[in-house]
Amino acid sequence: MSRPTVLQVGRFPPRFNERLQRDYQLIRLWEQQDMLAERGAEIDIVVTSARYGCSAEQLAQMPNLKAICSFGVGYDSIAVAEAKARGIPISTTPEVLNACVADTAMGLLIDTARQFAAADQHVRQGKWLKGQYPLTRKVSGKKLGIVGFGRIGKEIAKRAAGFDLQIRYHNRRPDPSTDYGYEADLKALASWADFLVLACPGGASTHHLIDADVLAALGAEGILVNISRGSVVDEQALVAALQAGTLGGAGLDVFEDEPRVPEALFGMPNVVLLPHVGSATEETRLAMENLVFDNLDTFIERGELITPL
């Protein structure tokens, strides 16, 4: 392919933006929101992310689009069915972020159970001078349910085993590669577990998969950890359960309407809130960037993607 025209849907970190600008014939959508109506036919490749996506409406305005390269593993914001119907391949950045996201899941689990973030504030605000921080909950030896036993789910299990956690998982089907217990009934898994970690994809099939009934099954001693997508959890039901004390705690890296987070969660010591930083380390983000560019260059040179969806 001769020098293609690349559409950058949204802003990325400066290093990524500069490399795109330097190496490709680039159109930045956020600088010209109405440009697709005028120049959509020029676009050969879209570069996007789970945050920005690529909608069916946008696809319809790019009749000559040949590929979509996305930063991250989430693809629920991309019109996958419409792209496949037109033979437009999509790449994501799997594998390279597994370790950091799994680390984040375990960090959230431990922080929420032991309330380290709240205990830190107890010290910083001078409250230790007035008394000890309340007792929290042990992590080691407890029961962990993992929802979504793909690449990241398996990495979480590997780390959890080091804490002597009993592990079961829920998936669309049993995974023959593992000896961990499979639970087809999500509510049964929640009822069994002390900790329920979400590592499943987003999208219509998992929308509000964790609803009021699942939260009730997890119970007043249970802790929910979400490093998947905000849409997987019914956020209103989650807030209600935490306020009522029918759920023990939550460690959240993702939310339904990011970056807006329910303010009701802000003052809860049994809730840890992160700004979607599961893969946000220098090493992992550089690996993700490199994989996006590797996909771009390979498609331009050979018409193939390295990590097709």
Side-chain angles (χ1 to χ4, degrees):
M1 185 187 298
S2 60
R3 185 172 169 84
T5 299
V6 174
L7 177 71
Q8 181 182 352
V9 177
R11 290 181 177 87
F12 292 99
R15 177 180 59 202
F16 191 100
N17 291 336
E18 291 165 8
R19 188 170 172 184
L20 274 174
Q21 184 68 50
R22 182 188 71 230
D23 295 349
Y24 306 94
Q25 186 169 308
L26 191 66
I27 296 174
R28 292 173 167 172
L29 182 60
W30 76 87
E31 295 177 344
Q32 306 167 266
Q33 286 296 331
D34 58 348
M35 60 75 54
L36 282 180
E38 302 171 7
R39 302 184 61 189
E42 300 175 29
I43 307 300
D44 296 300
I45 303 172
V46 163
V47 173
T48 188
S49 69
R51 176 182 178 185
Y52 300 118
C54 185
S55 69
E57 292 74 18
Q58 289 171 329
L59 278 178
Q61 293 180 291
M62 295 181 281
N64 298 312
L65 185 65
K66 299 174 180 65
I68 299 171
C69 295
S70 186
F71 180 92
V73 293
Y75 52 85
D76 47 300
S77 58
I78 298 173
V80 174
E82 289 81 357
K84 286 187 174 181
R86 286 174 50 185
I88 300 170
I90 301 167
S91 69
T92 58
T93 57
E95 302 292 358
V96 295
L97 51 66
N98 297 352
C100 276
V101 176
D103 290 349
T104 301
M106 287 304 299
L108 277 170
L109 190 159
I110 295 167
D111 195 351
T112 307
R114 296 294 305 275
Q115 298 188 13
F116 287 148
D120 172 89
Q121 291 302 309
H122 185 80
V123 175
R124 292 175 188 270
Q125 295 168 9
K127 295 180 180 179
W128 194 13
L129 298 169
K130 302 174 183 178
Q132 282 291 108
Y133 192 79
L135 297 178
T136 57
R137 297 198 187 120
K138 183 180 177 180
V139 173
S140 299
K142 295 290 186 70
K143 300 173 183 176
L144 171 65
I146 301 174
V147 181
F149 206 66
R151 299 181 183 97
I152 294 172
K154 288 182 172 67
E155 288 290 324
I156 294 169
K158 185 190 301 182
R159 287 152 177 76
F163 286 85
D164 295 323
L165 289 168
Q166 301 174 57
I167 299 167
R168 294 183 186 177
Y169 70 96
H170 172 80
N171 230 16
R172 285 177 292 181
R173 60 185 68 87
D175 187 328
S177 70
T178 183
D179 293 328
Y180 291 127
Y182 172 70
E183 181 53 75
D185 186 325
L186 180 55
K187 283 194 288 186
L189 179 66
S191 181
W192 170 83
D194 297 300
F195 311 120
L196 191 67
V197 176
L198 310 182
C200 53
S205 64
T206 58
H207 184 262
H208 287 187
L209 181 68
I210 308 302
D211 56 15
D213 289 342
V214 174
L215 295 172
L218 187 53
E221 300 296 317
I223 287 175
L224 179 75
V225 172
N226 190 7
I227 48 84
S228 59
R229 286 291 178 266
S231 61
V232 175
V233 178
D234 182 339
E235 209 164 76
Q236 289 187 351
L238 175 64
V239 171
L242 289 164
Q243 288 176 328
T246 56
L247 179 66
L252 308 171
D253 185 45
V254 290
F255 304 88
E256 281 206 86
D257 189 24
E258 297 176 6
R260 285 163 284 277
V261 176
E263 291 187 11
L265 300 175
F266 289 177
M268 297 181 180
N270 58 334
V271 176
V272 179
L273 306 171
L274 299 181
H276 203 152
V277 294
S279 64
T281 63
E282 290 286 349
E283 298 90 342
T284 291
R285 287 295 170 86
L286 178 59
M288 292 168 67
E289 290 175 20
N290 287 337
L291 187 50
V292 171
F293 286 108
D294 288 346
N295 272 293
L296 263 172
D297 293 339
T298 302
F299 188 80
I300 291 167
E301 293 169 9
R302 303 202 301 265
E304 300 173 357
L305 293 171
I306 298 174
T307 53
L309 188 62

